[in-house]
Amino acid sequence: MAPLRVLLIDDEEELVSTLVERLKLRGFSVEGVTSGADAFGRVQEKKFDVVVLDMKMPGLGGLEVMRRIRKEQPGVKFVLMTGRGSLEEGEEGMQEGASAYLLKPINIEGLIEKMMEAVRV
């Protein structure tokens, strides 16, 4: 089976590089970006199975990024990441069709579990 294609979007560069590295070690095909604008460029170039998206980012917020990516790739699944301050946004994201949302700090095993559940649905 081909590896799951994952796009990771978070404005915290260190978090992105750490998660990308850890997911690659577990056999995922992962790309990480630090802004919604960079994400739009990637989704126009490549197809992804799952987008892991931070809800709170400077500029475009997570919900708007999710809506725009969905227009480009209607079948893509979303797993949202949120800090305690944006729980409402996580719930709003679920209402808009995200598969799951996780609280930061992110547990890598929990993230993998949610990504796998998202694509099985």
Side-chain angles (χ1 to χ4, degrees):
M1 190 171 114
L4 206 59
R5 296 163 302 185
V6 180
L7 177 61
L8 182 69
I9 311 164
D10 193 302
D11 60 310
E12 295 176 49
E13 207 166 303
E14 194 174 310
L15 175 69
V16 170
S17 61
T18 300
L19 286 177
V20 165
E21 185 178 316
R22 293 181 74 189
L23 289 170
K24 280 184 177 177
L25 286 172
R26 287 167 171 81
F28 294 92
S29 172
V30 190
E31 293 195 29
V33 296
T34 55
S35 73
D38 289 344
F40 302 137
R42 295 292 167 88
V43 296
Q44 288 172 347
E45 295 165 10
K46 290 186 174 172
K47 192 142 183 58
F48 293 95
D49 301 305
V50 178
V51 174
V52 179
L53 173 63
D54 184 23
M55 295 305 292
K56 286 268 192 215
M57 294 188 294
L60 285 176
L63 287 174
E64 184 58 29
V65 172
M66 186 170 102
R67 289 179 194 119
R68 291 189 189 184
I69 290 174
R70 182 167 283 131
K71 280 182 189 162
E72 198 70 36
Q73 294 191 17
V76 75
K77 305 295 183 191
F78 289 87
V79 174
L80 308 176
M81 298 184 293
T82 182
R84 300 216 182 285
S86 55
L87 275 176
E88 299 78 22
E89 283 184 312
E91 290 164 7
E92 192 179 337
M94 294 290 286
Q95 290 169 356
E96 290 206 23
S99 300
Y101 73 95
L102 298 168
L103 286 176
K104 289 181 177 181
I106 298 299
N107 170 300
I108 191 75
E109 299 306 328
L111 174 60
I112 290 170
E113 187 179 308
K114 294 299 183 192
M115 290 188 322
M116 299 309 289
E117 282 174 16
V119 294
R120 275 196 294 265
V121 176

